[in-house]
Amino acid sequence: MKKNKTAPKSKKTIAQKRENRYGYAFVMPWILGLFIFTLVPMIFSAILSVCEWDIVTGLKTIKFVGLDNFKRLTVDPDFKKSLIVTFKFCLISIPFYQIISLGIALLLNMRVKFMKTFRLIYFLPSIIPVIASTMIWTQIFGEQGLLNQALKVFGIKGPAWLNNPKTALYALIIMGVWGVGNTMIIYLSGLQGVSVELKEAAAIDGANGFVTFFKIVVPMISPTIFFNVVMAVIGSFQYFTQAFVMTEGGPLKSTLFYNLYLYTTAYKNYEMGYAAALAWVMFALIMVFTLLVIKSSSLWVYYQNDDKI
């Protein structure tokens, strides 16, 4: 009897080991990719942040300088300017994009004819390559561009949006509305999960649309809002491509985003050590602000079985 019991167990163990080997084989490419393309560059970047290296001269010229790169940040006016521009962009764009995305999602959540077509139309711009859409918007924001031509119809003389330090940053923020399709789709999925029975019960109790939205809909989709805000914080600090193509940080450094300044330091000035220090400061900033959002979530994010509801 004992032999009969142990035999199936050994077969099961062999099968489990085989499955484990297959599992490790399928996961291994991802593990190797994480190690080679993420962990190793991060370690090398951490080493470079305390070194001085002109990338043109080769690896042999790497020189240890301690914390000099980080001390330089305190007296670098471009570093401070890039922080101001990036923080200003974040403070304006994050709530602006979230409100626009949620507003569009509310409209696309209505039950009307051809709604699938409308959803497709609003989502399509977000899948257009960034460079292509940026070139389109460069023409729109030109002094004789489509936007100024539209303003001229109402008797308003529009500025040279991208050549004016007072308007260049706001032009980039306005352009960002073009790509809110991904955020809008996430909000739409959250809205479709809101219980219809709850909204009907609120209507029976005399609640108007305004009260229903803020007392029922917003709490119900707060996890979705939380996710979109976290992703927006991370994305805003990494803003680069549009500013690089359209303004290159100008005019008068009014669009000198942090990531753009980091790129310029590394690949135009060839100061890889200082650029690595900038990268680690950006990493710390993103982590701090992301953790602040996560920490604050206990005050405003509600889940289905939460006692706060």
Side-chain angles (χ1 to χ4, degrees), residues 98-112 115 119 183-185 187-192 194 199 209 212-214 217-218 221:
Q98 300 307 309
I99 292 171
I100 294 293
S101 301
L102 181 56
I104 296 172
L106 286 168
L107 292 174
L108 296 181
N109 196 41
M110 298 171 65
R111 296 180 180 179
V112 297
M115 182 52 71
R119 290 173 182 173
T183 307
M184 177 268 296
I185 286 293
Y187 275 128
L188 181 60
S189 64
L191 288 170
Q192 291 184 341
V194 176
K199 292 192 286 188
T212 302
F213 176 72
F214 283 101
V217 176
V218 170
I221 66 169

Side-chain angles (χ1 to χ4, degrees), residues 45 49 69-71 73 79 82-83 87 237 258 262 274-289:
S45 174
S49 67
N69 288 326
F70 293 95
K71 291 178 182 177
L73 294 173
F79 167 71
S82 65
L83 276 181
F87 277 120
F237 274 101
Y258 193 98
L262 192 159
Y274 187 52
L278 287 168
W280 279 99
V281 170
M282 182 171 70
F283 173 78
L285 287 171
I286 292 174
M287 184 171 64
V288 167
F289 282 96

Side-chain angles (χ1 to χ4, degrees), residues 1-307:
M1 295 294 290
K2 290 183 178 178
K3 290 183 179 179
N4 292 334
K5 287 183 179 179
T6 55
K9 187 177 286 188
S10 62
K11 288 182 179 179
K12 187 177 181 181
T13 304
I14 293 171
Q16 284 179 339
K17 289 181 178 179
R18 188 184 298 113
E19 286 184 6
N20 290 340
R21 284 197 296 269
Y22 287 144
Y24 290 134
F26 282 113
V27 172
M28 191 55 65
W30 183 87
I31 294 175
L32 288 174
L34 176 67
F35 180 77
I36 296 171
F37 299 111
T38 302
L39 295 181
V40 171
M42 285 183 70
I43 294 170
F44 185 58
S45 174
I47 295 171
L48 278 183
S49 67
V50 292
C51 296
E52 186 179 274
W53 178 39
D54 185 338
I55 190 174
V56 178
T57 58
L59 290 172
K60 293 182 179 179
T61 59
I62 295 178
K63 178 184 176 183
F64 179 76
V65 295
L67 297 177
D68 287 355
N69 288 326
F70 293 95
K71 291 178 182 177
R72 179 180 165 185
L73 294 173
T74 61
V75 295
D76 184 357
D78 287 342
F79 167 71
K80 296 175 182 176
K81 179 66 176 179
S82 65
L83 276 181
I84 292 171
V85 170
T86 303
F87 277 120
K88 186 176 180 180
F89 177 80
C90 292
L91 288 173
I92 298 174
S93 67
I94 292 175
F96 181 58
Y97 294 160
Q98 300 307 309
I99 292 171
I100 294 293
S101 301
L102 181 56
I104 296 172
L106 286 168
L107 292 174
L108 296 181
N109 196 41
M110 298 171 65
R111 296 180 180 179
V112 297
K113 287 184 177 181
F114 308 112
M115 182 52 71
K116 291 183 179 179
T117 304
F118 291 132
R119 290 173 182 173
L120 178 64
I121 291 171
Y122 276 97
F123 181 72
L124 273 178
S126 65
I127 64 175
I128 294 176
V130 176
I131 299 296
S133 62
T134 300
M135 297 304 295
I136 293 171
W137 279 93
T138 301
Q139 299 300 318
I140 292 173
F141 284 125
E143 193 167 357
Q144 300 299 323
L146 183 63
L147 180 58
N148 283 350
Q149 294 298 324
L151 292 174
K152 190 181 292 185
V153 174
F154 300 97
I156 302 173
K157 183 180 180 181
W161 293 87
L162 299 176
N163 297 323
N164 189 333
K166 295 181 180 179
T167 59
L169 181 62
Y170 298 105
L172 294 178
I173 293 172
I174 293 170
M175 183 187 69
V177 177
W178 174 266
V180 298
N182 289 321
T183 307
M184 177 268 296
I185 286 293
I186 296 172
Y187 275 128
L188 181 60
S189 64
L191 288 170
Q192 291 184 341
V194 176
S195 173
V196 177
E197 289 78 9
L198 281 176
K199 292 192 286 188
E200 290 176 350
I204 292 171
D205 288 339
N208 56 30
F210 184 84
V211 174
T212 302
F213 176 72
F214 283 101
K215 295 295 184 179
I216 294 177
V217 176
V218 170
M220 291 289 288
I221 66 169
S222 58
T224 306
I225 298 173
F226 169 67
F227 173 80
N228 280 332
V229 169
V230 169
M231 298 306 295
V233 168
I234 296 171
S236 296
F237 274 101
Q238 296 177 330
Y239 192 85
F240 169 76
T241 306
Q242 295 87 335
F244 176 71
V245 174
M246 296 178 76
T247 63
E248 295 187 0
L252 300 178
K253 300 179 180 179
S254 60
T255 59
L256 184 64
F257 288 89
Y258 193 98
N259 218 13
L260 180 58
Y261 179 52
L262 192 159
Y263 170 84
T264 303
T265 303
Y267 298 107
K268 288 190 176 181
N269 301 334
Y270 301 114
E271 298 178 279
M272 297 301 294
Y274 187 52
L278 287 168
W280 279 99
V281 170
M282 182 171 70
F283 173 78
L285 287 171
I286 292 174
M287 184 171 64
V288 167
F289 282 96
T290 302
L291 289 175
L292 285 175
V293 175
I294 293 172
K295 189 69 175 177
S296 70
S297 65
S298 60
L299 301 175
W300 57 276
V301 178
Y302 302 87
Y303 296 96
Q304 189 171 2
N305 298 322
D306 202 321
D307 292 338

